[in-house]
Amino acid sequence: MTVTLNQAKGPEFTRIYSYGAARGEVAVPNDDLIGPIDSSDEWIRQRTGIVTRTRAVPTTSATDLATEAAREAVERSGVNPADIDLVIVGTISNVQQTPSMAAVVADRIGANPAAAYDSNAACAGFAYAVAQADALIRAGAAKYAVVIGAEKLSDIVDPTDRSISFLLGDGAGAAVIGPSDFAGISPTVWGSDGSKADAVGMDHTLIEFRDGESAWPTLRQEGPTVFRWAVWEMAKVAKQALDAAGIEAKDLAAFIPHQANMRIIDEFAKQLKLPDTVAIGRDIETTGNTSAASVPLAAHRLLQEHPELSGGLALQIGFGAGLVFGAQVVVLP
Ligand SMILES: CC(C)(COP(=O)(O)OP(=O)(O)OC[C@H]1O[C@@H](n2cnc3c(N)ncnc32)[C@H](O)[C@@H]1OP(=O)(O)O)[C@@H](O)C(=O)NCCC(=O)NCCS
């Protein structure tokens, strides 16, 4: 071979520069949902820790929520939108299979012609997107990325379903990721277990719906199966992420798990032996479970309520339909 190719190589380190958030406009209390599922405000509070969840009005789309969150993150980052060359949206609730939400968001925030794509890793969507942006920037495939978790789950719930519908909310969380002088994102521990694909997901396909064989497909889950898997297997993944980062629980400033159930969050904290000094993301109480958006929304809120966490280490973990999981430690902006 007489010619040699150029091959890309990026900076040694990356970090999160900023977060942005958008929640559905309406706070929906438990009492508004309990009728069709024969439940109670007390049962939902005790079993899940949810008091209200945010849901978007009909005219607000998941793409609108993603745009609002991305705009805030970009504004706070100080990065010129025209310098953003990668936009990744983690989502399971885009009501159009194509075009991607990411391409539309990239254009709306002034990042056209950034590379843009959606990625479906359910409630691990944000951890997956962070892993991708970190790797792509360090490989020299992009310089500045916006990663977004965005969901309008209210479009895919059945109000008569008592397995999951009452947990779910609408929102989007975003982060700007770029080159750094120091290590700001640890190695990601991620994976999947498709043998448990039936534990949580849509109850019907679009083909079944088209052919009149089913109602509009909505989310369902085997709650106790997912609960046990989360508590046992995900606590191990969280510990592996600490090991991969080369730190211990006592080094953390914050723990930001997927907002699936307050009891799961409490169990994680116990198993990880988190000292009282570690702030824990508990956004689920008023936002509900927003799948891919839940981790960045909880991070955004923690930083708003505790600005002193800035510069500290946060362990984040997402897990959900697939089944899939992803965890890493990040330096909070
Ligand atoms: C869904 C979840 C809250 C249910 O709580 P749980 O404690 O596991 O409840 P169970 O399904 O074991 O049911 C316990 C009892 O509550 C009842 N129950 C179940 N759902 C109910 C509801 N929505 N309202 C009222 N009662 C309900 C059951 O019938 C059962 O009654 P019984 O004891 O008389 O038989 C819980 O399993 C969970 O949070 N799972 C994981 C959530 C998650 O992470 N999912 C998203 C994927 S990321």
Side-chain angles (χ1 to χ4, degrees), residues 37-40 43-44 47-48 123 161-164 166-168 200 221-227 230 258 260-261 263-264 289 319-321:
I37 56 172
D38 185 23
S39 190
S40 68
W43 190 95
I44 296 175
R47 298 281 178 143
T48 72
C123 310
D161 156 62
R162 42 176 10 213
S163 78
I164 196 166
F166 59 99
L167 301 174
L168 304 174
V200 49
Q221 71 169 340
E222 295 165 19
T225 306
V226 179
F227 192 96
H258 171 44
N261 184 318
R263 284 155 59 216
I264 296 177
N289 176 349
F319 50 87

Side-chain angles (χ1 to χ4, degrees), residues 274-301:
L274 295 183
D276 292 342
T277 49
V278 179
I280 300 179
R282 295 184 183 282
D283 189 41
I284 185 171
E285 186 178 359
T286 51
T287 301
N289 176 349
T290 54
S291 193
S294 91
V295 167
L297 281 176
H300 183 272
R301 180 163 167 190

Side-chain angles (χ1 to χ4, degrees), residues 23-28 33 53-57 153-154 157 165-170:
R23 289 179 176 78
E25 301 87 344
V26 188
V28 180
L33 304 179
R53 72 284 294 136
T54 55
R55 289 195 173 167
V57 297
L153 297 174
S154 60
V157 299
S165 65
F166 59 99
L167 301 174
L168 304 174
D170 302 334

Side-chain angles (χ1 to χ4, degrees), residues 106-298:
D107 179 58
R108 286 188 184 175
I109 64 171
N112 186 337
Y117 61 94
D118 294 355
S119 136
N120 178 338
C123 310
F126 186 73
Y128 266 56
V130 169
Q132 292 170 70
D134 163 54
L136 288 168
I137 292 169
R138 284 188 295 110
K143 183 144 192 219
Y144 295 104
V146 179
V147 298
I148 307 162
E151 307 284 8
K152 190 178 181 191
L153 297 174
S154 60
D155 282 336
I156 49 169
V157 299
D158 168 5
T160 68
D161 156 62
R162 42 176 10 213
S163 78
I164 196 166
S165 65
F166 59 99
L167 301 174
L168 304 174
D170 302 334
V176 171
I177 296 179
S180 173
D181 297 338
F182 56 86
I185 298 174
S186 76
T188 297
V189 177
W190 56 347
S192 69
D193 180 1
S195 76
K196 296 193 179 67
D198 290 339
V200 49
M202 305 301 287
D203 62 348
H204 291 288
T205 66
L206 288 172
I207 299 294
E208 288 165 334
F209 177 64
R210 180 196 65 190
D211 295 345
E213 291 162 10
S214 80
W216 173 243
T218 52
L219 276 166
R220 304 288 152 141
Q221 71 169 340
E222 295 165 19
T225 306
V226 179
F227 192 96
R228 279 194 299 272
W229 172 75
V231 164
W232 297 113
E233 301 306 323
M234 293 307 100
K236 286 184 216 158
V237 169
K239 283 180 199 155
Q240 286 166 15
L242 289 178
D243 289 345
I247 66 161
E248 294 175 38
K250 67 170 173 47
D251 302 320
L252 291 171
F255 175 53
I256 311 174
H258 171 44
Q259 305 290 296
N261 184 318
M262 201 69 91
R263 284 155 59 216
I264 296 177
I265 296 173
D266 289 338
E267 192 58 39
F268 281 161
K270 228 191 291 173
Q271 293 198 34
L272 290 167
K273 299 191 175 66
L274 295 183
D276 292 342
T277 49
V278 179
I280 300 179
R282 295 184 183 282
D283 189 41
I284 185 171
E285 186 178 359
T286 51
T287 301
N289 176 349
T290 54
S291 193
S294 91
V295 167
L297 281 176

Side-chain angles (χ1 to χ4, degrees), residues 63 87 89 91 94 96-105 116-119:
T63 309
V87 176
V89 176
T91 186
N94 186 3
Q96 276 183 310
Q97 281 161 302
T98 196
S100 68
M101 284 167 54
V104 175
V105 172
Y117 61 94
D118 294 355
S119 136

